[in-house]
Amino acid sequence: MLSSFFPSRTIALYMGRLFLTRTFGILFGLVLILQTLDLLSESGRVLAAPGNGDAEIWRYVSLRVPQIVSTFLPFSVLLGTILTLITMNANSEVVALKAGGLSAHQVLAPLLVASLGVAVLTFAFNDRIVSRATAELSTWQDVNYGPMPVDRGDRSNVWVRSGDDLIQADRIAGRGNDARLGGVTVYERNAGGGLRGMIAAPHGVRDGDGWRIWPARRFDVASGAVTQLGQTIVGRGVTPDQFTLSNVDGDALSFTGLRAAIADLAEAGRPTKSLEGVLWHKLSGPLSSMLMPLLGAVAAFGIARSGALFIRAVIGMALGFAYFVADRFALAMGNLGAYPPFLAAWAPFLLFLLIGEAVLLRTEE
């Protein structure tokens, strides 16, 4: 019964091939143009770091391209859908399929199956490649494109508040009581927020309810004197999870890694709503590829000689871009806590699924 819903094998393969070649052709062009523009603005910063050259430029490209592909693949699916359906409409192929007794949903079935494959590929690509590239690029940018820390699993540039004071660590390695700090700077402030002094040390470990740092030296703002402290305890009451969980970037973690980080944050009593929205969006984002044939289907139906084909293509693009705007808006509202995480990730998808079905049913009538 399921096979009867699809057109013949030959037609399904023909439509799927047209759709995929156009989608990935458009994606290639978009990535080439956007990466070139991005490189023009960022290459100066990469080369400004001492010792950087052509190898670092290509390294930046290898880390940036996956992000661009992940961002613009759904756009490419939308444009590939519209281009495929416009071509078939202009050649009267859609009319022939409709005359053969196929419904609008049956005409779109090969594109929906192909877009499902694109969605699965997108999820795997985001989970295995984009998250790692984002994490490495963020760490590299934190050190201004200089030498990377040896352990790339470490967190970098973490800030924690201890009473009125601020503690900054260049690197964090390990978890729990085994956490080790590197490049520690304590900014001592008065009740009004004014800086009283600074304590700096290259090493720090957990000691009781605080952190033992060494060899430490203190700079007093009022007198300008520098005092050698040796070993000293700072940050009493600051727990290890405040360091290790303070900089959780959902885009830089895989699906399972982000789920584990959310569990750690929840156990530590930290807010997780914004990260939960990112976690759900790791599923709903790739599935947006399946919406594009539905939203762009308006370009497939209607007589091409009527002169409304261009208008139909514009309507399809408008529906697709409206989805992307709504998706980003809902995700931003989820990050602010205005929307529940599940609603922030799935509401635009479900809304435009209903809109696409309504437009398609109206077109078929």
Side-chain angles (χ1 to χ4, degrees):
M1 179 178 297
L2 183 61
S3 60
S4 64
F5 181 76
F6 294 89
S8 70
R9 174 184 173 86
T10 301
I11 294 175
L13 291 176
Y14 169 71
M15 293 182 65
R17 184 174 66 252
L18 284 180
F19 168 71
L20 292 176
T21 53
R22 282 160 172 75
T23 294
F24 286 103
I26 292 171
L27 178 64
F28 177 79
L30 285 175
V31 171
L32 186 63
I33 294 171
L34 294 171
Q35 179 60 79
T36 300
L37 295 175
D38 179 74
L39 197 58
L40 287 174
S41 64
E42 199 70 16
S43 58
R45 299 177 186 175
V46 176
L47 294 175
N52 283 0
D54 291 343
E56 283 69 29
I57 290 292
W58 285 111
R59 179 185 178 188
Y60 174 79
V61 171
S62 69
L63 296 176
R64 189 72 177 96
V65 163
Q67 294 180 335
I68 298 176
V69 171
S70 175
T71 301
F72 289 94
L73 182 54
F75 289 93
S76 302
V77 173
L78 172 65
L79 297 177
T81 297
I82 293 175
L83 184 59
T84 298
L85 295 179
I86 282 180
T87 303
M88 294 183 65
N89 194 351
N91 294 333
S92 300
E93 292 170 300
V94 174
V95 175
L97 293 175
K98 295 280 287 183
L102 295 181
S103 66
H105 287 86
Q106 288 176 304
V107 172
L108 292 178
L111 302 189
L112 292 173
V113 172
S115 63
L116 176 60
V118 173
V120 174
L121 179 64
T122 301
F123 175 80
F125 180 74
N126 291 346
D127 202 56
R128 302 295 298 175
I129 297 177
V130 177
S131 60
R132 297 179 180 179
T134 300
E136 186 172 340
L137 183 59
S138 297
T139 304
W140 197 23
Q141 289 174 334
D142 286 340
V143 294
N144 296 318
Y145 300 109
M148 291 280 288
V150 175
D151 184 3
R152 295 181 183 175
D154 296 350
R155 290 171 172 81
S156 61
N157 193 28
V158 177
W159 291 78
V160 172
R161 183 169 181 173
S162 174
D164 294 326
D165 300 339
L166 294 177
I167 303 176
Q168 186 261 337
D170 292 338
R171 297 175 305 280
I172 312 294
R175 300 178 63 182
N177 290 328
D178 295 328
R180 301 182 306 279
L181 310 182
V184 184
T185 304
V186 181
Y187 297 88
E188 299 177 324
R189 304 189 304 171
N190 55 37
L195 185 65
R196 296 185 295 107
M198 297 170 55
I199 301 176
H203 310 289
V205 294
R206 182 71 167 164
D207 190 339
D209 65 341
W211 297 84
R212 176 166 49 88
I213 60 175
W214 77 95
R217 57 180 182 175
R218 183 181 184 276
F219 170 75
D220 185 77
V221 174
S223 64
V226 177
T227 306
Q228 300 295 330
L229 301 179
Q231 296 189 12
T232 186
I233 302 296
V234 298
R236 293 192 180 276
V238 176
T239 58
D241 64 83
Q242 289 181 258
F243 281 107
T244 58
L245 298 177
S246 59
N247 263 2
V248 176
D249 183 2
D251 294 331
L253 295 174
S254 65
F255 182 83
T256 54
L258 180 56
R259 187 168 58 180
I262 290 174
D264 290 342
L265 285 168
E267 185 178 353
R270 306 281 293 281
T272 61
K273 295 299 183 183
S274 61
L275 291 176
E276 289 176 20
V278 175
L279 181 69
W280 282 116
H281 195 263
K282 285 181 178 289
L283 298 177
S284 65
L287 279 178
S288 65
S289 296
M290 289 194 64
L291 279 181
M292 298 305 110
L294 203 58
L295 298 177
V298 67
F301 305 102
I303 300 175
R305 290 187 296 273
S306 66
L309 187 58
F310 176 74
I311 297 177
R312 287 176 171 271
V314 171
I315 293 174
M317 286 189 288
L319 286 173
F321 284 107
Y323 164 76
F324 293 120
V325 172
D327 181 58
R328 294 300 172 184
F329 175 79
L331 195 59
M333 291 296 100
N335 290 336
L336 293 175
Y339 289 177
F342 183 87
L343 184 65
W346 288 103
F349 179 89
L350 298 176
L351 174 62
F352 279 84
L353 176 63
L354 295 177
I355 292 175
E357 280 291 337
V359 172
L360 188 60
L361 291 174
R362 179 63 178 173
T363 302
E364 192 169 15
E365 290 178 359

